[in-house]
Amino acid sequence: MVLLDVLGQRWTLRLLWELSHDTATFRALRSRCDDVSPTVLNQRLKELRGLGLVDLGENGYELTSMGMALAGKFASLDAWANEWAENLEKHDISKD
Amino acid sequence: MVLLDVLGQRWTLRLLWELSHDTATFRALRSRCDDVSPTVLNQRLKELRGLGLVDLGENGYELTSMGMALAGKFASLDAWANEWAENLEKHDISKD
DNA sequence: AAAGTATGCTACTAAATATGTAGCGTCAAT
DNA sequence: ATTGACGCTACATATTTAGTAGCATACTTT
């Protein structure tokens, strides 16, 4: 599945996540993402633009309609993740 | 969002994807994932087990109920991804 | 009992990728 | 003309992954 390979890269998922909340300039996006290095940020943005998921508009980077559709899929994931996180704490996982 | 950081690592998403289709032994899982190096495979499996998403049972590695719930979220993503992929071809993206 | 086979997994080096910092070229406002 | 913000590149360093070999355990076959 192609999409998984694309999303399964550092920052890609996070970028979509951030952009789904609000458009942002290159620099703003950086600081929102723990000051990810501009090298990688630009790499990912290129890919995402190439895939028609992200676009660079007047107000900075933004999701395309397709990008929004995809990000929407993760919105439901958000709710689920919160419950999941709670369960994790309760069961007190000791890992690694 | 914690989950995104976990999933946004190489192979993690792919592993969940593969395991959602069928349980697999360590070695089988490797060959299903383009012969990912055992080093990383084990790393990811440790994490996923620590997070209560994956478990090592009699028949090899398998998703827990929570893991399945999560993977289910991506099932709908699959259908979406296929349409998306078609659109990509139609619009003939030239990227990078 | 010995030998074969499959399991999960570790060790170790080379290659790929990300980080971190500096700064360029462009534009708009002061 | 200087200042500030923009998108983005360069490049050395650090981190992560790939790739291969092999160990320890178990179970089967001979």
Side-chain angles (χ1 to χ4, degrees), chain A residues 47-87:
Chain A
E47 290 173 3
L48 290 173
R49 279 194 283 179
L51 293 169
L53 296 173
V54 165
D55 196 40
L56 175 52
E58 282 295 317
N59 304 323
Y61 284 97
E62 60 195 11
L63 294 181
T64 65
S65 52
M66 288 215 298
M68 287 195 272
L70 178 56
K73 299 278 175 191
F74 293 115
S76 68
L77 203 143
D78 186 26
W80 181 88
N82 289 335
E83 292 181 30
W84 165 80
E86 281 182 26
N87 272 316

Side-chain angles (χ1 to χ4, degrees), chain A residues 33-47:
Chain A
C33 294
D34 304 328
D35 274 329
V36 54
S37 74
T39 320
V40 185
L41 178 55
N42 189 38
Q43 253 172 51
R44 292 296 121 82
L45 285 173
K46 265 186 192 164
E47 290 173 3

Side-chain angles (χ1 to χ4, degrees), chain B residues 60-95:
Chain B
Y61 283 97
E62 60 195 11
L63 293 182
T64 64
S65 51
M66 288 214 299
M68 288 195 272
L70 177 56
K73 299 278 175 191
F74 293 114
S76 66
L77 201 144
D78 186 26
W80 182 87
N82 289 335
E83 292 182 31
W84 166 79
E86 282 182 25
N87 271 316
L88 258 193
E89 290 169 13
K90 283 175 190 163
H91 297 329
D92 192 355
I93 305 293
S94 56
K95 65 160 189 172

